[in-house]
Every structure is written in structure tokens, then in C-alpha cells.
Amino acid sequence: MIIVATNIDLFSTFQHYLQPLTTAKIQTTAIHKEAMPKAPLQIVLAYSGGLDSHVLLHLLSRYKELYPQHDYLAVHVHHGLSANADTWLAHCQLTAAALGIHFVAEKVILNVGSRESLEAKARSARYQAIAKHLKGESLLLLGQHLDDQLETFLLQLKRGAGVKGLSAMAAQMPFALQANCQIVRPLLTLPQQSLVDYATDRQLSWVEDESNNDSSYDRNFLRHQVIPSLKQRWPGIANAVHRSAELCAEQQALADEIAQLDLVTCEYSFSGLKIVELAKLSKIRRNNVIRFWLASQLLSMPSRHHLDKLWLEVVNAADDANPQLSWQAGLFRRYQGVLYHQRKYAALKDVVIALEHTYSQCIALPDDIGYLYLHSYQQSHLQHQQQNQLQESTPDKAQNMGKNTLQHTSSCCVRTPLAGEKVTIRFRGEGKCHPVGRSGSRSMKKLYQEYQVAPWLRDRIPLVYYDDKLVCAVGLWVCKDYAAQQGLCWCLSL
């Protein structure tokens, strides 16, 4: 291994990176701005106890002395994969206490499979455990450095990744599991040797994970057997690869901007894509928007082979077919000219949510459907017109009211329940009902067909009941006897 003296002032670099994220700029003169403390943030460190996160913890404790108004927290995740895991936890707890950083530990249980899948499962479980401790506006600090970036790039290159994968790790990005949280890697441009120098100078003590020496893991194989030779030949390769990753990230950002424009045209209710609009795009642009569509649902990326099969076997299947394509994240399906992705959904037909009151509230729907918002409502003349457009529209008109009927025009105004009427939310509707603006009653099955709701999505529509009478299918229709100009407004956010 090549060791190069770095002479880097690590804390100054750390402070320079973190300060703009934790302070606000205010105008003090016509040409000057001054940094002032922001409202308190939560700053959370993913703390394994290894060299990288230990150095980051030490830097964070020094930063806290300068900016004590923030809420600092170190989260250690105990995976239970090593016989030394309990010792590591105790070490981390003592170290955090000595440095004045609040500490919590989470224990997770992993279903051990192949080694590659184990690494992915451990990472996923770690993020989920940390997410439970995030609140409000927050920063999640991770200790990856320049050498980690080189490893990640080479791993993605080995897998045949495109520009998204070759973008490797971002210095800053939204945390998918928690709104208002940013993942921050303040040491990403620094070589690991600078962390070693810092820890040695300050006589820090950290834990050593014995699995890091196991070269049967791809990352360790690169770290111990490939990268030293690359650095021997090309000492600046880590910095060069980081520049390439940044360029790939720029190209991916451009592709995402194009996909966002295409998605406006292609998107349909329940996160479907209109096939007639997809067919107007070139193959490259079509695949780009499909990948972006899946990424927005936090799904993994299909291979190019799967995208080709999707277009051939699902989209271009016979009109009277019910095509499906299975892949690792679920099923691709087609229904009435719309392409859908179906996950493995929980059975909700017997789920009943009883409301204790009808005051304003937010109701988390089961199986990650989304949120149902309830509030009192009194329509102005314009609102009344807009509500009538939704309630009295035919299915065809409702589908043209926006790019996504349920997600963007999903409010229903109904009368307030009478004294003694029990309000419940259900997901399986049977029998007949008479929607506002329709000439008569229709079966629930027929209505779902007319509104082009795919069969596998019908048990995911929240249905509001007063006692045992259907009041509305939120985002689709209101039953005749329950429409009102003022009362309760139900809004669905998917």
C-alpha cells in the first residue's frame, strides 16, 4: 500500500463544507452578506465506530463547540453479524459520551443470503434504522472518502452500469426515507490517508471490522488487490475517477430533466404511463422516462434486456391479452392502454379504519398507499364549480382533468355525518352505488372499469362509509345522497 503525506487541515475542510448547510446568509450591506446561525437543525452521524466515522464524530464534536444550537446525534446500528458487535457498540457509546454527542443504538436482524445480497440488506437495514431517529429539517452525515468513491465507481463499472451508476456517491443528496433530510458526505473529496493522519495525530481509537480483510467480498478485493496497483501506476487515479463520476452525475441530471418533461405528457392515474404517448418517443428517450418513473417509486433499475422485453412482450402484446412481465421488483402490466408497475401488495379487503372524530386530521393508509387528509370545507362559488366538474364528470372527462386524476384532483366534498353515523374507511366495495351526475346506479365493478382503474389497484382505493353506506370513492366519485357544498373534504395524496 502506498502511503502519501497529505498535510490537510481536516477540520477546516469539514467546517467549510458543513457551514453553508447550517448557517443562513443575510444581507448586511449592498454588497456584503454575513453568515448567521440557522434555526436549529438535527445533525445525525451514522456511527459504525470504524476509522472513517470515528474521525467524523471527532470533527462533529469540534463543530458542536462552535455551533451548539443544533441537535447533534450519533446513531450506531448493531447488525449482529460479528462476534465483536457488542464490544463495538460499547466502544461507540463510550466514545460518543466522551465527545459530548448524544448517542443511540439500534439492533437489526438480517436474513442472511448470498454475500452480495447481505451487503445490500445490511445497508438497507442500516438506513431504515437511522431514519427512525430523524425529525424535521436534518442532515445525515456519512463518512465516505475519496478512496471509497474510487471503489464504488469500479464496482459499478464491473456491473456494466450506465451514467447513473457511474455517478457513484453524491456529496449531497435527498434522503429517500425521510422528508426534509439531506445525506451529506463532507469528506468525499479527501483521501483516506488524511483521515489516518488526523486520527493518529489525535491518538484516536477505533474499531476494526474483521470482515474488511475478507477479499471474497468484491469491495475488499478491489481495496486490497486491485487499487494499490492502480495507484502505483497512476497516483492521481482517485481524483480522476471522482471527476469522471461528477461528469456522469451531470449527464444523469440532464437525462432526469428530459424525463421530467416527458413524464408530464406520459403519466397517468396510479403512477401509470400512457402507452400512446410513450410510443411517440424514441427508444432511448422512452427507456429514459421509464427508468425515471421507476426511480420515483424507489424501485431498482431494470436492465436494458428487461426494458426490451417490456416493450415487446407487454406493450406490444395482442389487444385481447393480459400481458405481464416479472422481474426482481415486481410485475409490469398493461391495462386499457396504460403501463403499470405492480408491487406485491398486501390484502386489504378486510381492513377497516374507524374514525373517532371528523376534525381535521391526516390518516396514514395501510401498505404505503399514501395519506388521506380530512378537513372541514365550505366552497366559494369558484370552488363549487370546480367540485362539480369533478363530481359530475364522466370517467373520460375525469381522466383529462390533469396528468394524474387521483394524485392531483383527488378531493371529494361530502356532507357532515349525522349524529350517530359511524365513519369508516374501507378498501373493498361491493354492490351498487349512484355517483353524482350519473343517470342511475352502477355496480362497483362497472364503475371501476369505466374509470379505468386496473383490477389489481381496486382494493387500494380508499372508500368512505357512513355506517354501511358508501359515501365516496376518494378521487373518483361521490355518491348522490352525500354530495354537499359544505361539510367534509377528503383529499388523497399518493
Side-chain angles (χ1 to χ4, degrees), residues 7-23:
N7 297 319
I8 293 173
D9 183 347
L10 208 61
F11 180 70
S12 294
T13 303
F14 176 81
Q15 182 181 11
H16 178 75
Y17 189 92
L18 207 59
Q19 190 177 34
L21 303 177
T22 60
T23 57

Side-chain angles (χ1 to χ4, degrees), residues 45-51 53-54 57-58 73-78 84-106 205-208:
L45 168 65
Y47 180 39
S48 69
L51 168 68
S53 66
H54 192 150
L57 179 73
H58 197 272
L73 175 67
V75 181
H76 176 82
V77 179
H78 183 301
N84 299 313
D86 290 338
T87 303
W88 298 341
L89 190 157
H91 169 86
C92 291
Q93 187 170 17
L94 289 173
T95 303
L99 292 173
I101 301 293
H102 183 57
F103 175 87
V104 294
E106 285 282 343
S205 175
W206 59 90
V207 303
E208 295 283 0

Side-chain angles (χ1 to χ4, degrees), residues 23 39 78 139-140 191 197 232 251 266 303 346 385 403 469 489:
T23 57
H78 183 301
L139 303 176
L140 173 57
D197 293 344
Q232 180 74 44
Q251 293 299 311
C266 297
S303 65
Q385 286 182 329
K403 70 176 184 179
K469 299 293 185 180
C489 183

Side-chain angles (χ1 to χ4, degrees), residues 180-240:
N180 300 321
C181 177
Q182 291 284 317
I183 288 179
V184 179
R185 297 179 173 95
L187 308 180
L188 193 61
T189 60
L190 302 177
Q192 186 184 37
Q193 188 59 44
S194 64
L195 278 68
V196 173
D197 293 344
Y198 182 92
T200 302
D201 289 345
R202 286 155 183 80
Q203 299 182 335
L204 303 185
S205 175
W206 59 90
V207 303
E208 295 283 0
D209 185 344
E210 66 277 2
S211 69
N212 287 336
N213 296 318
D214 185 352
S215 291
S216 64
Y217 290 101
D218 288 344
R219 184 176 290 273
N220 292 341
F221 174 75
L222 287 172
R223 181 179 301 163
H224 298 300
Q225 301 193 38
V226 176
I227 290 176
S229 296
L230 294 177
K231 287 185 174 181
Q232 180 74 44
R233 176 81 179 196
W234 302 294
I237 190 171
N239 285 301

Side-chain angles (χ1 to χ4, degrees), residues 140-362:
L140 173 57
L141 306 189
L142 304 181
Q144 286 100 346
H145 46 71
L146 187 63
D147 294 275
D148 291 321
Q149 184 79 313
L150 174 57
E151 293 167 6
T152 301
F153 185 94
L154 293 176
L155 285 171
Q156 293 293 341
L157 189 65
K158 184 267 295 184
R159 294 166 184 154
V163 293
K164 185 178 182 69
L166 295 177
S167 300
M169 295 180 291
Q172 184 178 341
M173 60 183 287
F175 185 33
L177 299 183
Q178 182 68 31
N180 300 321
C181 177
Q182 291 284 317
I183 288 179
V184 179
R185 297 179 173 95
L187 308 180
L188 193 61
T189 60
L190 302 177
Q192 186 184 37
Q193 188 59 44
S194 64
L195 278 68
V196 173
D197 293 344
Y198 182 92
T200 302
D201 289 345
R202 286 155 183 80
Q203 299 182 335
L204 303 185
S205 175
W206 59 90
V207 303
E208 295 283 0
D209 185 344
E210 66 277 2
S211 69
N212 287 336
N213 296 318
D214 185 352
S215 291
S216 64
Y217 290 101
D218 288 344
R219 184 176 290 273
N220 292 341
F221 174 75
L222 287 172
R223 181 179 301 163
H224 298 300
Q225 301 193 38
V226 176
I227 290 176
S229 296
L230 294 177
K231 287 185 174 181
Q232 180 74 44
R233 176 81 179 196
W234 302 294
I237 190 171
N239 285 301
V241 163
H242 184 66
R243 289 195 299 273
S244 292
E246 290 180 324
L247 291 172
C248 287
E250 289 181 5
Q251 293 299 311
Q252 184 59 46
L254 176 60
D256 286 346
E257 288 184 13
I258 296 171
Q260 284 180 314
L261 296 175
D262 290 337
L263 197 60
V264 171
T265 304
C266 297
E267 193 175 19
Y268 192 76
S269 299
F270 284 104
S271 298
L273 295 178
K274 291 180 279 191
I275 290 173
V276 66
E277 297 298 335
L278 286 174
K280 296 176 183 178
L281 303 175
S282 68
K283 179 180 178 180
I284 293 173
R285 194 160 171 172
R286 183 179 73 223
N287 287 347
N288 184 53
V289 72
I290 290 174
R291 289 191 182 99
F292 185 82
W293 170 63
L294 294 172
S296 69
Q297 301 175 61
L298 304 182
L299 297 172
S300 57
M301 291 297 98
S303 65
R304 187 164 54 183
H305 173 68
H306 271 108
L307 289 175
D308 289 342
K309 290 187 67 176
L310 166 64
W311 197 252
L312 178 65
E313 299 180 11
V314 178
V315 174
N316 289 326
D319 292 341
D320 59 351
N322 180 27
Q324 302 179 21
L325 176 64
S326 177
W327 70 301
Q328 60 179 338
L331 286 174
F332 290 111
R333 302 183 71 162
R334 185 192 71 189
Y335 181 75
Q336 295 192 6
V338 180
L339 177 66
Y340 294 96
H341 181 266
Q342 179 185 354
R343 304 191 195 193
K344 294 181 179 179
Y345 297 136
L348 301 178
K349 64 179 182 178
D350 297 323
V351 173
V352 177
I353 301 173
L355 269 61
E356 297 181 358
H357 60 79
T358 55
Y359 304 128
S360 295
Q361 57 187 291
C362 173

